């Protein structure tokens, strides 16, 4: 699986051209055709950042955020759901550590200092 395919998994239902997907991935330091490495925390974090950028782009289009009334049903939860997903992804990105941070981690800490 390459990075582009992994981004498509994260953004199911959102139709973008391959060029648009490539731009979002390249802006987050990922090559669209490079192999996705699930062991790499940095790679996963950059995929999430790309998905977040796509969702924020959708949120920037006010036409998508209108309320619609069809018969007796109102579709107004899209904007709320979109913002909730953006907040969720933002929090997940902030909590994920990069590969460098994981390598420099130690299970040892000093309780007392000279």
């Amino acid at each position: 699986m390459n990075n582009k395919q992994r981004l498509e998994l994260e953004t199911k239902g959102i139709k973008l051209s391959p060029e648009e997907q490539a731009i979002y991935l390249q802006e987050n330091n990922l090559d669209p055709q490079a192999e996705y490495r699930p062991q790499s925390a940095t790679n996963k974090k950059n995929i999430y950042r790309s998905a977040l950028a796509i969702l924020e782009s959708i949120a920037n289009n006010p036409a998508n955020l209108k309320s619609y009334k069809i018969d007796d049903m109102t579709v107004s939860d899209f904007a709320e759901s979109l913002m909730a997903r953006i907040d969720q992804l933002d929090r997940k990105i902030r909590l994920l550590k990069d590969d460098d941070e994981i390598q420099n981690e130690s299970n040892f800490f000093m309780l007392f200092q000279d």
Side-chain angles (χ1 to χ4, degrees), residues 5-74:
Q5 292 167 328
R6 177 61 180 94
L7 179 63
E8 288 172 354
L9 281 177
E10 198 60 39
T11 58
K12 282 189 179 190
I14 299 173
K15 303 294 182 211
L16 295 174
S17 70
E19 294 81 20
E20 290 172 324
Q21 289 176 340
I23 292 296
Y24 283 113
L25 287 167
Q26 289 168 358
E27 286 175 348
N28 289 291
N29 302 322
L30 291 172
D31 178 18
Q33 299 306 320
E35 187 70 22
Y36 173 68
R37 296 179 325 234
Q39 305 87 348
S40 171
T42 302
N43 201 346
K44 182 186 274 187
K45 193 173 187 176
N46 288 340
I47 290 288
Y48 286 150
R49 283 182 177 150
S50 300
L52 179 63
I54 290 170
L55 292 178
E56 287 174 341
S57 293
I58 292 170
N60 283 336
N61 185 356
N64 290 335
L65 306 178
K66 292 191 301 188
S67 294
Y68 296 99
K69 184 166 177 117
I70 303 170
D71 296 330
D72 291 337
M73 188 172 66
T74 303

Side-chain angles (χ1 to χ4, degrees), residues 48-106:
Y48 286 150
R49 283 182 177 150
S50 300
L52 179 63
I54 290 170
L55 292 178
E56 287 174 341
S57 293
I58 292 170
N60 283 336
N61 185 356
N64 290 335
L65 306 178
K66 292 191 301 188
S67 294
Y68 296 99
K69 184 166 177 117
I70 303 170
D71 296 330
D72 291 337
M73 188 172 66
T74 303
V75 180
S76 62
D77 293 335
F78 178 73
E80 294 166 8
S81 298
L82 180 64
M83 294 311 294
R85 180 64 179 143
I86 287 173
D87 291 341
Q88 179 188 34
L89 262 178
D90 186 46
R91 183 174 188 280
K92 187 182 284 191
I93 289 168
R94 282 188 279 119
L95 293 176
L96 277 175
K97 295 181 180 184
D98 288 328
D99 290 336
D100 296 336
E101 294 172 340
I102 291 173
Q103 288 177 349
N104 295 333
E105 249 183 20
S106 173

